[in-house]
Amino acid sequence: MDWLERVAKLRQWTKGGTRAPHKPLLLLYALGRFQEDADGGLRYTAVEQDLQRLLTEYGPPNKTTPAYPFHHLTSDGIWEVRTDRGPGSPGSGVRDLRETGATGRLAPDLRAALRHDPDLLGRITRLLLDLHFPPSLHGELCEAVGLEPEPAGEAGRLSAVRGRRDRRMRELVLTAYEYRCAFCGYDGRIGAVPVGLEAAHVRWWAFGGPDVVENGLCLCALHHKLFDKGVLGVGDDQRILVSQRFAGHSPAAREHVTALAGRPLTGPQPGTRPVAAAHRDWHARQVFLGEPRPATAA
């Protein structure tokens, strides 16, 4: 059985580019726990808070519950649920999962495959990350679930589900923004080489975002991470949005984040198309958290 192909085809709600990383997050968490204890099960009441934190941190802006993937992942043939009464999930109701002692674990055949081929766990991890999350979040997400990402390689053959990424994207975007962060104007270099500047996808590549300048922003490493975490966004008027959910009281937090609210983007240079409305709208719906702060007074 080709487990990478099965993982790549998880059944998810994908209409209109909607993010639904519930199953991938549960699977990443389960792989991390498998690494710790290959025979252990995940009792819903014991892991519910951990899973909720993952969904809150890395899921879509709308409220959601870990009960949904805990039950529905069984339909993909890689997860099983038992209750105190025996095999089978009681459904996706939180109360039912709690009161029946529902316990999930990776499917027996997948557990056997992971024992037989220790490298498989890393390849599945890399595939889940590549298909569902932007690269800026891979490291911290692995740390959150206790996994080490596998270097890109064999898993890449299934990442072809989305096609190959355009290696020119970074240079095209940095050039369009004249090697300056579109949010803060940072333009650091070591000699002639830019340092700490990255090409951020507005609509994530994992969700159909093309490798084109109109879907990119040149951002410093800090603002790239905050952009992908939903703290920062871009409004219809090409001005910076800052989420009201962000909290930071230090002078540095105010200067580097909250004071950005309402500022116009730096760039792109004349003759270059700005971020396309369709990609801005996707980020606003699927990534940006809550409501934007009022513009900061000059």
Side-chain angles (χ1 to χ4, degrees):
M1 182 177 296
D2 193 328
W3 290 106
L4 289 177
E5 184 173 359
R6 180 166 289 191
V7 168
K9 295 180 178 178
L10 290 177
R11 298 173 184 173
Q12 296 174 273
W13 177 259
T14 57
K15 185 177 180 181
T18 301
R19 290 182 61 218
H22 310 70
K23 288 181 178 181
L25 285 170
L26 172 57
L27 187 49
L28 285 168
Y29 182 84
L31 290 170
R33 294 293 293 268
F34 177 87
Q35 212 168 38
E36 295 177 6
D37 180 5
D39 297 314
L42 305 181
R43 195 174 182 91
Y44 182 78
T45 52
V47 302
E48 182 178 11
Q49 290 187 352
D50 284 351
L51 295 175
Q52 186 61 64
R53 279 194 292 268
L54 286 173
L55 283 169
T56 300
E57 188 76 6
Y58 301 102
N62 54 295
K63 291 184 179 179
T64 188
T65 169
Y68 173 86
F70 202 92
H71 165 71
H72 287 288
L73 189 58
T74 58
S75 66
D76 293 281
I78 58 179
W79 177 253
E80 65 175 8
V81 175
R82 298 178 62 90
T83 68
D84 294 338
R85 299 191 295 264
S89 172
S92 59
V94 173
R95 183 175 178 179
D96 291 336
L97 289 168
R98 290 173 178 169
E99 293 182 352
T100 60
T103 300
R105 71 179 69 194
L106 301 175
D109 288 348
L110 177 54
R111 298 201 306 271
L114 290 169
R115 290 189 180 97
H116 176 73
D117 179 7
D119 292 335
L120 178 61
L121 188 145
R123 297 199 299 274
I124 292 176
T125 298
R126 172 56 61 188
L127 181 62
L128 288 167
L129 293 172
D130 284 346
L131 292 181
H132 302 286
F133 304 97
S136 68
L137 300 183
H138 290 184
E140 67 173 69
L141 183 49
C142 282
E143 185 175 346
V145 298
L147 286 168
E148 288 293 330
E150 184 77 0
E154 205 171 318
R157 66 186 179 87
L158 281 173
S159 292
V161 169
R162 280 273 1 259
R164 292 187 179 276
R165 302 187 68 160
D166 190 338
R167 295 179 180 272
R168 300 171 299 169
M169 169 76 171
R170 180 179 185 276
E171 187 60 30
L172 290 172
V173 170
L174 267 59
T175 299
Y177 285 83
E178 300 180 283
Y179 298 88
R180 293 182 296 173
C181 175
F183 288 167
C184 68
Y186 168 81
D187 61 354
R189 297 170 181 260
I190 296 177
V193 180
V195 60
L197 288 171
E198 302 167 354
H201 281 73
V202 179
R203 181 178 181 128
W204 296 353
W205 184 85
F207 288 85
D211 287 329
V212 296
V213 171
E214 303 95 284
N215 188 41
L217 286 170
C218 176
L219 297 178
C220 67
L222 171 64
H223 291 137
H224 188 178
K225 176 63 70 68
L226 295 177
F227 187 65
D228 283 346
K229 296 279 280 189
V231 171
L232 299 174
V234 179
D236 294 340
D237 54 0
Q238 299 292 328
R239 291 181 178 271
I240 302 168
L241 304 178
V242 179
S243 172
Q244 290 185 351
R245 296 192 194 176
F246 176 80
H249 304 291
S250 67
R254 290 195 296 271
E255 177 184 355
H256 296 300
V257 185
T258 55
L260 297 176
R263 287 187 188 175
L265 293 180
T266 299
Q269 60 180 296
T272 303
R273 293 181 179 178
V275 177
H279 304 320
R280 290 199 316 268
D281 291 346
W282 181 89
H283 188 275
R285 288 183 289 104
Q286 298 298 324
V287 181
F288 188 75
L289 298 173
E291 296 297 320
R293 291 172 175 264
T296 303

